[in-house]
Amino acid sequence: MTISRNHRDHALRRGPYRTLRRKPNGSPVRRGLAVVPPVLIALLIALAAVPLVGGVMVLASLTADLPSPQDLAKDPLALSTKVYDRTGAELLYQFEVERREIVTLDDVPEILIEATLAIEDKSFWTTPGVDVLGIARAAYADLTDHPVGQGGASTITQQLVKQRIIGSEYSLQRKIREAILAIQVTRTYSKREILELYFNQIYYGNQAYGVKAASQTYFGKSDLHQLTTAEAALLAGLPQSPSVLDPSKSENLERAEQRRSAVLTQMVATEAITEEEREAAEAEAITVVGPQVTTITAPHFVFQVRDQLTRILGGDESAVTRGGFRVTTTLDLAKQKAAETHVRTRVDALHNRNVWNAGLVSIDPRTGEVLAYVGSVDYYNREDPKVQGEFDVAGLGERQPGSAFKVFNYLTALKKGATAATVVVDARTDFGGKDTGTFRNCVYCPENADLQYHGPVSMRQAIRESRNVPAVKFLHQYSGVEDVIKTANEMGITSEIDPSKIGLSLTLGAKEVKLVDMASAFGVLANMGVRVAPTYVLKVEDPNGRVVWEHKDYEQRRVLDPGIAYIMTDILKDTTRPDRSYIFGNWTTIGRPAALKTGTTDNLKDVYSVGFVPQLVTGIWMGNSNGDLMSSRDFSSAMGPGVLWRDYMKEILADVEPADWERPANVVSASVVLAPGAFGGYGSGMRPSGLSPFASTELFLKGTEPRTVDDWYVPGCPKEDGSTSVGMRIREIGQPVWQPYTQLWIDQAKAGGRSYGRYTWNLVGEEPCPTPSPTPSPTPTPSATPAPTRTPRPTRTPRGSSDPFPTPSVPLPPITFSPTPSPSPSPTPR
């Protein structure tokens, strides 16, 4: 959403002095030598030391390009832009070049006006805007090189002209031009208008511009009428030398008291107060609220607000710091505080794994509103290279997402005809086709994290166990690198990805992306295929309270079929269910329907976790800002960002009613040959036959249900007892170059390896059955539902694995038709 250029310009130019008018009897003063008599008198005095002809020539040159007095109120004063949380009650920060709040002259008490005029300009109400003697002193100082003070006695009007029109560079030329303009300003505006502008313009020190900001800064009083006589006198004296007189600094206190005393003395002289009142004020101790410390809540979020606000205002960065806007953001302070606490707590607990930094982003996927945003574990930790706290790793940093990026690959495969039951063979493969099976001469031979390979696995199992080789096979066979990039971009990934440089490693998360983009992209799944771009801003109001931009009627763009989004979400829900995922379930369950995908890069440089419920998506990155590797000892994405995600989501959703996603009309269920349970998923993915030893229910887009009856499970070779075994014939669906690697896995599995306790039936190859014994028993009809007893996977330390799969502590359950509970995982899931 944008605002029109005219609307924006109008909003920016509206200022507190847009109603200033020239006096009813005033008229424009012509430029040049045609000035009123008082000006001539002042100039003649100032130029007394200059020969007459030369003085006239100088006068002509000085007034030739003199600014207009109208410039005094032409540009609005710089006002602070205040940034609030989503309730509009909590101030997060204010962007400003000058801390200022506008007041009217009626807001300024008489005692403060009298104090200011007594010390700055006693004859303010009656003079033409200049101090003639002060100009003469300035001229003398300039011509004789004998300074007599910083420009002589400037009137209030001259001070305004200097700050708003002429500039503060000291010279005789500037002083004369200042005097001319001061007189013209006096003829153009009323004294009350000039005085009001002065009280809002002038600098009082300690980053306070204008008298209201000064009152708040030094005394904590927003109502100026609450100022005491002593406080009013102190404020009135500050503009002369704000940095030297700043009373919040102990070294300035004596000078501040002396200056206050001078003001009070002048107030007696002008009969603004009595001698008794002066003595009472003198006796009042100077008590200030202390030096102003600029605080910022959710700093990295606030800077994202600044960037979005700049775009809203048409790219004008100065408008952010000078425009006086009121910005209501999307930040939920309760969620923000919970996020900051959980990030710090979890990172602190993982220091012994060399984890020192993390980022977290929570977004409402239905509206795109960013509700919590942690850009680093500690914004103020700028010394530790592992933290680099000022750097926003959530919104500016690009880190490898690891397996979390696989989701875009599998979504693309679903769009192009694959299903959740599509099976590929998890066997180590050289996708360049050069290696002979030794894997010493690989062109591209990705490894699974645990260095184990599980043969035929469905898409669901491949995602649930985050297996790398199947992911690459799906990318190669179904998705295609360029189409995966397109899917990722449509869902919200903004990083530029060159397909010619990234290749098949794309699906393993080899390309760096932003955490906020990953959270937003997963929000498309949470929102059942509809993308809403993230926003940090809810509403922007100008200084007059008029709404110039609001987050409503925002674009909602469908980028995924709702059925595809639902099926992928259902698969990712397995990750948070102990009965569906023996690897992740116990680490990430939050007691309600939720979907999650983790990711880990090589050698534990970055770990990711992105998960969601219908109302909220949260992404987490964890690692070290300088790229130091985390320790592989008993550490994984599940126990790092996975546990952080779990604990944070459980807290902030405690009072939110659990909800699940409604199944779209184009999603149906069908029975297929896939092993059930947390360890299941291998099989053919076809319709069950009479020989199929098991079956599971899987989700499909209507019309994509498998129609082929399973022929992977076939009668095997005769047994000694006369029965016939059931064998599994594995077929590689994909490139012929993969087949030798599949056969290598089959051979090793038949020899007793590479099955890891998951397979207890025969693997049928093309070779004939062994020669039968002389008296074989009759071969009965094979049972349709054998339930072979599974043995525990052997304990094995994979070579080079930084994150092995856990070894179950109890024997694996037998394969049956119904899902079976999984054993508790060991402490090192990936």
Side-chain angles (χ1 to χ4, degrees):
M1 294 181 58
T2 60
I3 58 176
S4 69
R5 187 182 186 89
N6 290 338
H7 189 182
R8 181 182 70 249
D9 292 345
H10 180 66
L12 293 180
R13 294 188 66 83
R14 286 173 64 89
Y17 299 102
R18 63 190 184 281
T19 58
L20 290 185
R21 299 180 301 276
R22 285 194 271 170
K23 291 181 181 179
N25 296 328
S27 61
V29 180
R30 291 190 304 168
R31 306 239 177 129
L33 297 178
V35 291
V36 295
V39 179
L40 291 176
I41 295 172
L43 290 174
L44 288 174
I45 296 174
L47 298 170
V50 182
L52 180 60
V53 176
V56 173
M57 293 178 63
V58 170
L59 178 60
S61 67
L62 290 177
T63 58
D65 59 347
L66 200 65
S68 167
Q70 302 291 342
D71 292 345
L72 187 73
K74 180 179 180 181
D75 294 322
L77 291 170
L79 301 178
S80 302
T81 290
K82 296 189 176 183
V83 179
Y84 294 88
D85 75 329
R86 65 185 299 108
T87 68
E90 295 291 334
L91 179 67
L92 306 178
Y93 191 62
Q94 50 192 53
F95 295 111
E96 57 202 4
V97 290
E98 300 175 359
R99 182 182 302 149
R100 173 184 284 111
E101 287 196 41
I102 295 299
V103 295
T104 66
L105 199 56
D106 291 336
D107 296 324
V108 183
E110 190 67 24
I111 192 66
L112 182 54
I113 294 174
E114 294 289 353
T116 300
L117 297 183
I119 197 65
E120 292 290 343
D121 192 353
K122 296 183 183 65
S123 58
F124 170 76
W125 297 110
T126 58
T127 62
V130 295
D131 177 358
V132 175
L133 293 178
I135 295 174
R137 288 194 299 271
Y140 173 79
D142 188 75
L143 293 171
T144 63
D145 198 24
H146 289 84
V148 294
Q150 189 65 20
S154 293
T155 65
I156 280 178
T157 309
Q158 285 176 271
Q159 292 179 51
L160 270 179
V161 168
K162 178 175 66 175
Q163 291 201 24
R164 290 189 61 80
I165 305 178
I166 296 295
S168 59
E169 180 184 356
Y170 179 69
S171 69
L172 176 61
Q173 177 180 346
R174 193 270 296 166
K175 196 68 178 177
I176 295 172
R177 290 164 64 85
E178 175 189 295
I180 296 171
L181 275 173
I183 294 172
Q184 291 182 351
V185 164
T186 302
R187 290 172 55 83
T188 304
Y189 301 106
S190 73
K191 290 287 187 176
R192 285 183 58 85
E193 288 173 326
I194 293 170
L195 189 58
E196 182 177 296
L197 188 54
Y198 173 87
F199 277 124
N200 286 298
Q201 168 73 48
I202 210 71
Y203 181 54
Y204 287 85
N206 213 333
Q207 302 303 312
Y209 289 81
V211 70
K212 184 170 183 178
S215 178
Q216 293 171 326
T217 296
Y218 295 114
F219 306 118
K221 296 180 179 180
S222 296
D223 183 355
L224 300 181
H225 289 278
Q226 293 181 357
L227 293 171
T228 67
T229 299
E231 290 170 341
L234 179 63
L235 291 181
L238 290 177
Q240 182 196 55
S241 186
S243 60
V244 173
L245 299 171
D246 180 356
S248 65
K249 300 175 181 178
S250 58
E251 64 269 23
N252 294 341
L253 195 57
E254 183 178 352
R255 284 189 290 262
E257 289 179 339
Q258 292 171 354
R259 180 62 174 169
R260 183 185 68 173
S261 179
V263 174
L264 291 169
T265 299
Q266 291 300 318
M267 292 177 71
V268 172
T270 59
E271 300 182 350
I273 59 174
T274 65
E275 180 62 28
E276 290 76 13
E277 290 172 323
R278 183 195 67 78
E279 292 176 357
E282 289 269 20
E284 185 177 312
I286 294 180
T287 304
V288 296
V289 295
Q292 291 292 298
V293 178
T294 300
T295 59
I296 180 169
T297 301
H300 294 110
F301 174 85
V302 167
F303 296 136
Q304 289 288 346
V305 170
R306 178 193 59 193
D307 293 344
Q308 184 177 351
L309 182 59
T310 300
R311 294 192 296 270
I312 289 172
L313 300 176
D316 186 354
E317 294 183 6
S318 66
V320 175
T321 55
R322 300 179 63 88
F325 295 96
R326 177 186 173 91
V327 183
T328 304
T329 71
T330 59
L331 192 73
D332 185 316
L333 268 184
K335 291 181 175 62
Q336 178 67 22
K337 292 177 181 178
E340 292 174 353
T341 298
H342 282 287
V343 165
R344 180 179 292 279
T345 299
R346 192 60 188 156
V347 168
D348 287 349
L350 293 171
H351 284 339
N352 61 348
R353 270 83 169 186
N354 199 34
V355 178
W356 295 89
N357 201 11
L360 180 152
V361 178
S362 285
I363 303 174
D364 185 333
R366 301 162 297 184
T367 64
E369 296 171 16
V370 179
L371 303 176
Y373 190 100
V374 180
S376 71
V377 68
D378 182 1
Y379 174 77
Y380 297 100
N381 184 344
R382 298 154 191 178
E383 292 77 26
D384 190 339
K386 295 180 180 180
V387 178
Q388 299 176 30
E390 282 188 327
F391 182 71
D392 179 6
V393 75
L396 300 180
E398 293 192 334
R399 301 290 186 270
Q400 291 185 359
S403 293
F405 199 89
K406 290 175 182 175
V407 170
F408 306 116
N409 172 26
Y410 287 115
L411 285 169
T412 307
L414 290 173
K415 291 194 288 185
K416 299 178 75 170
T419 71
T422 296
V423 170
V424 298
V425 176
D426 179 19
R428 193 170 185 206
T429 301
D430 179 6
F431 288 88
K434 302 296 185 182
D435 192 87
T436 59
T438 63
F439 300 106
R440 296 173 182 170
N441 302 296
C442 288
V443 176
Y444 181 53
C445 298
E447 294 181 313
N448 289 330
D450 57 359
L451 301 184
Q452 298 179 6
Y453 303 90
H454 290 240
V457 297
S458 66
M459 177 189 287
R460 181 181 289 270
Q461 182 183 359
I463 296 174
R464 183 174 62 210
E465 297 183 5
S466 198
R467 312 206 67 76
N468 291 338
V469 174
V472 177
K473 285 190 171 181
F474 271 99
L475 176 62
H476 192 289
Q477 180 67 21
Y478 292 95
S479 307
V481 172
E482 292 187 356
D483 286 337
V484 171
I485 294 172
K486 181 180 178 183
T487 297
N489 292 156
E490 289 176 343
M491 293 178 66
I493 300 301
T494 61
S495 301
E496 292 188 9
I497 307 175
D498 185 343
S500 66
K501 295 180 179 179
I502 195 69
L504 295 175
S505 64
L506 172 68
T507 188
L508 304 184
K511 181 65 179 78
E512 295 83 1
V513 296
K514 297 175 182 177
L515 176 61
V516 67
D517 287 353
M518 287 291 287
S520 176
F522 273 61
V524 173
L525 295 174
N527 205 27
M528 289 293 97
V530 176
R531 169 162 173 74
V532 181
T535 181
Y536 304 89
V537 178
L538 287 178
K539 184 169 61 175
V540 179
E541 300 168 86
D542 70 11
N544 301 299
R546 185 177 55 171
V547 176
V548 298
W549 187 91
E550 194 166 10
H551 181 63
K552 64 179 182 178
D553 302 325
Y554 45 82
E555 181 184 20
Q556 302 182 67
R557 184 162 54 93
R558 177 162 294 285
V559 297
L560 286 178
D561 179 275
I564 290 176
Y566 182 85
I567 291 171
M568 181 55 63
T569 297
D570 188 76
I571 294 173
L572 296 178
K573 284 165 64 176
D574 288 0
T575 309
T576 66
R577 291 181 55 177
D579 63 328
R580 293 285 186 90
S581 173
Y582 74 93
I583 298 174
F584 299 99
N586 284 349
W587 294 94
T588 59
T589 183
I590 61 173
R592 66 175 65 211
L596 178 74
K597 186 71 188 79
T598 64
T600 306
T601 61
D602 291 343
N603 301 319
L604 283 175
K605 185 177 181 181
D606 303 286
V607 282
Y608 246 86
S609 181
V610 190
F612 53 93
V613 296
Q615 309 94 329
L616 189 73
V617 56
T618 296
I620 294 168
W621 166 86
M622 190 175 282
N624 297 306
S625 289
N626 64 351
D628 278 5
L629 305 182
M630 293 167 280
S631 171
S632 61
R633 179 175 55 86
D634 297 332
F635 182 65
S636 66
S637 59
M639 72 179 300
V643 169
L644 172 55
W645 180 88
R646 177 196 69 194
D647 294 346
Y648 166 72
M649 293 288 277
K650 286 180 73 172
E651 177 178 338
I652 65 173
L653 294 173
D655 297 327
V656 177
E657 189 71 23
D660 205 344
W661 291 269
E662 183 178 349
R663 181 189 291 191
N666 66 335
V667 175
V668 297
S669 301
S671 181
V672 293
V673 181
L674 293 173
F679 290 86
Y682 44 86
S684 68
M686 301 177 183
R687 291 173 55 193
S689 70
L691 293 175
S692 300
F694 42 68
S696 297
T697 299
E698 187 54 273
L699 299 175
F700 299 89
L701 291 178
K702 187 178 293 184
T704 66
E705 312 94 300
R707 303 187 183 281
T708 303
V709 175
D710 172 62
D711 62 354
W712 286 33
Y713 292 92
V714 296
C717 298
K719 294 182 178 180
E720 293 296 330
D721 62 2
S723 64
T724 302
S725 65
V726 176
M728 182 180 183
R729 178 182 293 129
I730 299 174
R731 295 174 178 172
E732 182 71 76
I733 302 175
Q735 301 297 317
V737 72
W738 299 349
Q739 185 57 43
Y741 304 104
T742 297
Q743 188 60 50
L744 177 63
W745 181 87
I746 293 173
D747 294 342
Q748 291 173 331
K750 290 172 69 174
R754 297 296 175 95
S755 63
Y756 309 107
R758 293 193 178 201
Y759 309 105
T760 57
W761 52 87
N762 294 329
L763 290 170
V764 177
E766 299 303 324
E767 71 277 7
C769 291
T771 303
S773 61
T775 56
S777 301
T779 302
T781 302
S783 168
T785 58
T789 302
R790 300 173 67 184
T791 58
R793 289 188 296 155
T795 301
R796 178 174 179 269
T797 302
R799 290 179 297 103
S801 174
S802 63
D803 197 11
F805 281 89
T807 300
S809 58
V810 297
L812 303 184
I815 300 172
T816 62
F817 279 102
S818 57
T820 56
S822 65
S824 299
S826 70
T828 57
R830 186 169 186 81

